[in-house]
Structures are given as structure tokens and as C-alpha cells.
């Protein structure tokens, strides 16, 4: 099982930007069909990458300030962070293989 952290405006900075590991953040909404499809893929990849990367999910209704700060205009979006800075961004649904490849590119 993966250790995906639920993120919001209050814990995003501490959990993701100040983390020792690179991070992957899924911005989603429960009412978005592509987000619903993306969440299990994200969780699968998090389990396969445990210890190498930190994973978190932001429900945009719970973290609107974080979403606005990163210019999240459509969802789902996976934001890849390294040393507290955006290293890459994936917009829309992607397969587990494609997500793993993007993650490998920043590790």
C-alpha cells in the first residue's frame, strides 16, 4: 500500500516543498472523471517508488490557494517537484508507465 499524503493549503509547503525527497503531487477533484481514473494510477506508482519520492494529492476544493499558486487551470495535473521547485508537469490522464518514466527523469 502507498503512503500518499492528503495535501491542502495548510500542509503543502511543509510536506512537499520542505521535504528531503523529490515530490509528485496530483491535483484533482472527485467530480472529474479523468481524475477518478488517474488517482489509482498515481497510487500504484507511489507504491512502486516508495522511498525515492514523496507523493501527495490535492483536492482543488480543499487546496485552492495551492492550485492557484501553481497555475492549475485544468485537472488532473501531476506536478513533479525537486528541491522545492517545479521540475515537470503532466496535464491530463497518463498511464502508469508514462508517469514512471517522467518520475525517472527527475530522480
Amino acid at each position: 500500500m502507498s503512503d500518499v499524503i492528503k495535501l491542502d493549503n495548510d500542509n503543502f509547503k511543509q510536506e512537499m516543498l520542505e521535504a528531503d525527497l523529490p515530490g509528485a503531487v496530483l491535483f484533482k477533484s472527485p467530480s472529474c472523471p479523468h481524475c477518478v481514473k488517474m488517482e489509482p494510477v498515481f497510487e500504484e506508482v507511489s507504491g512502486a517508488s516508495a522511498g525515492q519520492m514523496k507523493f501527495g494529492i490535492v483536492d482543488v476544493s480543499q487546496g485552492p490557494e495551492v492550485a492557484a499558486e501553481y497555475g492549475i487551470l485544468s485537472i488532473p495535473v501531476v506536478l513533479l517537484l525537486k528541491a522545492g521547485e517545479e521540475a515537470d508537469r503532466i496535464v491530463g490522464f497518463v498511464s502508469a508507465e508514462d508517469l514512471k518514466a517522467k518520475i525517472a527523469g527527475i530522480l
Side-chain angles (χ1 to χ4, degrees):
M1 179 157 200
S2 65
D3 288 322
V4 178
I5 303 162
K6 291 193 186 300
L7 299 167
D8 57 30
N9 295 328
D10 297 327
N11 68 352
F12 185 86
K13 181 179 178 186
Q14 178 185 4
E15 292 289 352
M16 301 309 293
L17 302 182
E18 297 173 353
D20 293 333
L21 295 172
V25 181
L26 171 62
F27 288 85
K28 60 111 182 173
S29 168
S31 62
C32 161
H34 293 293
C35 300
V36 172
K37 276 180 43 180
M38 187 65 207
E39 193 166 353
V41 171
F42 188 78
E43 290 178 353
E44 173 190 332
V45 172
S46 74
S49 304
Q52 299 177 328
M53 192 153 206
K54 200 166 186 179
F55 289 81
I57 294 178
V58 176
D59 178 333
V60 294
S61 67
Q62 302 293 314
E65 293 164 14
V66 173
E69 182 177 336
Y70 285 95
I72 305 300
L73 301 175
S74 62
I75 49 176
V77 169
V78 176
L79 193 66
L80 300 177
L81 303 166
K82 189 167 188 176
E85 299 291 328
E86 182 176 342
D88 206 347
R89 177 182 293 228
I90 305 163
V91 179
F93 177 83
V94 294
S95 68
E97 294 77 23
D98 289 344
L99 182 54
K100 287 177 187 176
K102 285 282 197 176
I103 287 171
I106 70 159
L107 290 178

